Amino acid sequence: MADTLEIIDLHARIEEREILKGLSLTIRKGEVHAIMGPNGSGKSTLANAIMGNPKYEVTGGKILMKGEDILEMEVDERARKGLFLAFQYPCEVPGVRQANFLRLAVNARFGRELDVMEFYAKLEDKMKFLDINEAFMKRYLNEGFSGGEKKRNEILQMMMLEPEFAVMDETDSGLDIDALKVVSEGVNKLRGPDLGILIITHYERILRYIQPDFIHILVDGKIVKSGGRDLAAHLEEHGYDWITKDTVKA
Amino acid sequence: MNAPAWLEKQRDVARQTFDRLPLPTRRDVDWQRFDIRKLKLDKVAEPALTEKLSASPGNGVIFCDMATAIAKHSDIVKEYLGKGISPDEPNKFNALHVSRLNTGAFLYVPRDVKLTVPLEILYTLTGASGFPHTLVVIEPGAEATLVQKFTGGPTGDMSIHASGTEVFVKEGGHLHYISYQNFNPNVYDFTLKRAHVARDAEIDWVIGMFGASFQRYDIECVMEGEGGNSFMYGVGFAEHNQQFGQFTKQHHKVGNTTSDLLFKNVLRDSAVTNYSGTIKVEKNANGTNAYQSNKNLVLSDKVKCDTKPILEIESNQLRCTHGATVGRLEEQHLYYLRARGLPEEQAREVLLEAFLDPVLARIQVEDVYKEFSSLIHQKVIRK
Ligand SMILES: Nc1ncnc2c1ncn2[C@@H]1O[C@H](COP(=O)(O)OP(=O)(O)OP(=O)(O)O)[C@@H](O)[C@H]1O
Ligand SMILES: [Mg+2]
């Protein structure tokens, strides 16, 4: 209980359309889960519903983090409690300087003013690890960043904020092979008994670097199959057709 | 001390102009948006304003208050004063300020002198009226940074501030000009700033509009020589019942000149802003580049925000763009910041400051940048 993120029979909709139709999933700290599924099946909807995007309406079910009902919390409270979402399309926020933003976020997350030196030392360390140029910190948040740079920046934020549960929405899309390695190393570094991870992806590739404990297949708003790593390889080869047929039969 | 005859004459012309022109009302197109009924000009109180200047850097530079300039440097002052801003312009408030002209400051930078340390003028309104005039002459090849601050104003009764800043940037000269007003409430501020930009000369402006209950700013660049540039940036933060008028003019008398302009405003509560941007390109001013952008961030349903471009273009070989937006905070931005743990209130504050930051980023003087930031921050968090 105290170390799980439990999603129980979740129903969610956007603009009057039901997207999630009774989804259940439990992630324990220390575990890495992967969700795969066709375009439009509801993966990003799940990610946003967990994070608390006000555009998505949860119409049924529960989400418990460490036993607490997070559907009752605003998005920022969820974040401060240790939930993190690496966005599929991180937005550009002109006028907000990266370093300032990170400092405010870190202060909010840890509930105290971090010493400036301490903050910059930590930041420099993570940036070096992710191979991010120092000049980036003076720039505006994500503005003019390439797709890959934005993704790397999400992982930087994740490393700075040390979440307890992280959802990563297609962090691998748009990354070249070197960036993918760097990002995966970042995630593997964070991986451990204090963090539960949910990776959303279309490709088996990232799962070779970040080996998941479980793989789930999401089709039309529901998890239709769960299994081990071999599921990903099977999908890569056969696509989703066989599952959809299977489930229709069942 | 008696004023020299030439100055007395200018004041006379201004007095006549003032008497001739009626007080604007809502029937005048430029004044439709404003309520200035509280303003009474028939009995204007004795001017009470102080000017405080940073140290003059020597090197032949003249940097002194206006009274000293008139007494000691009459020859140079006489050559420029009133030549950029005329005492008989059809502007009642300009006429008012010129008719009382005896306070203000004078900056003269001789040929090829490049000043690295910024010069600063602090004007403080200490009574019910003030009429400072700032005259700036940058001789060919010279360069300077001038920071002008307008503050003060008695709390309680209405007071009036009417001022002029008259600038000449001569061949190849360069002026970095930063100015803000942060008057107390109840001040009515009427200000005209005009720069004449010669061949290969450049002026960059950053103008902050924060205080006063009413302000009308007229800001103009007059491009008079090929290769001349003007980069004009403004930030306004209007709240409560503040009324801000911003009338800019990019006047290209000569071709192969460039003027760029960005004005950004935040409006909250029942604030009123009216931006009106004229681009005037004269007949043979071919090869003109004129760009204008006005962006407004609106935080309440009760504000009134107007923006309009006015194009008076007689040349047909030019590049000209203009655009205006009136918008609210982006939900998506708010969500992103909150998803990183920033409480909603703080996320909104950060985004407000972010909206204005691209203008502030133009300020090259670190301390002044910080001052702008802190003035804005105080307004944002309502301190
Ligand atoms: N803002 C929106 N307005 C209307 N419909 C939306 C909106 N956002 C998503 N949808 C719809 O909801 C459905 C699920 O979208 P979602 O983004 O969750 O899919 P996904 O599984 O993440 O897809 P992908 O693999 O392409 O990222 C899609 O049909 C999509 O068109
Ligand atoms: Mg998606």
Side-chain angles (χ1 to χ4, degrees), chain A residues 48 51 53 74 76 79-80 84-85 87 91-93 95-97 101 104-105 108 140 142 154 157, chain B residues 331-333 335-344 346 350-351 353-355 357-359 361 369:
Chain A
N48 278 288
M51 193 69 239
N53 186 337
E74 297 276 332
D76 46 278
R80 289 193 298 275
F84 185 88
L85 169 58
F87 287 94
C91 66
E92 302 190 3
V93 194
V96 175
R97 283 173 210 281
F101 163 65
L104 295 176
Y140 291 147
N142 288 329
E154 293 290 288
Q157 293 174 26
Chain B
E331 287 301 324
Q332 207 197 117
H333 292 168
Y335 174 51
Y336 191 58
L337 299 196
R338 295 181 70 193
R340 296 299 177 250
L342 275 63
E344 179 171 2
Q346 188 186 27
V350 168
L351 290 174
E353 293 178 35
F355 175 75
D357 195 75
V359 173
Y369 170 85

Side-chain angles (χ1 to χ4, degrees), chain B residues 66-106:
Chain B
M66 190 52 90
T68 308
I70 293 165
K72 286 198 183 156
H73 306 284
S74 179
D75 285 354
I76 314 180
V77 174
K78 182 183 165 188
E79 201 181 325
Y80 295 98
L81 191 78
K83 301 284 164 56
I85 294 177
S86 165
D88 64 356
E89 321 219 343
N91 175 332
K92 184 148 180 103
F93 301 98
N94 180 59
L96 173 65
H97 117 264
V98 177
S99 72
R100 309 275 182 127
L101 201 157
N102 69 352
T103 57
F106 178 47

Side-chain angles (χ1 to χ4, degrees), chain A residues 14-15 17-20 37-48 55-56 88-89 169-170 200 202 218:
Chain A
I14 180 157
E15 319 230 317
R17 220 178 103 210
E18 182 159 63
I19 308 292
L20 297 183
N39 293 130
S41 56
K43 302 184 297 298
S44 294
T45 304
L46 173 64
N48 278 288
K55 281 209 304 203
Y56 295 78
Q88 181 174 2
Y89 304 110
D169 192 357
E170 292 200 28
I200 295 171
H202 284 289
L218 179 64

Side-chain angles (χ1 to χ4, degrees), chain B residues 286-356:
Chain B
N286 293 337
T288 285
N289 299 298
Y291 311 108
Q292 181 194 96
S293 170
N294 172 230
K295 297 188 171 162
N296 301 281
L297 179 60
V298 156
L299 303 177
S300 118
D301 291 330
K302 285 181 291 180
V303 305
K304 291 200 185 78
C305 177
D306 279 275
T307 170
K308 81 171 173 207
I310 299 171
L311 305 180
E312 299 170 3
I313 292 176
E314 290 177 48
S315 148
N316 49 21
Q317 284 175 44
L318 78 165
R319 250 177 291 176
C320 174
T321 62
H322 58 90
T325 58
V326 178
R328 291 183 173 264
L329 281 184
E330 298 255 4
E331 287 301 324
Q332 207 197 117
H333 292 168
L334 207 51
Y335 174 51
Y336 191 58
L337 299 196
R338 295 181 70 193
R340 296 299 177 250
L342 275 63
E344 179 171 2
E345 194 59 24
Q346 188 186 27
R348 285 184 188 282
E349 291 167 8
V350 168
L351 290 174
L352 280 195
E353 293 178 35
F355 175 75
L356 301 177

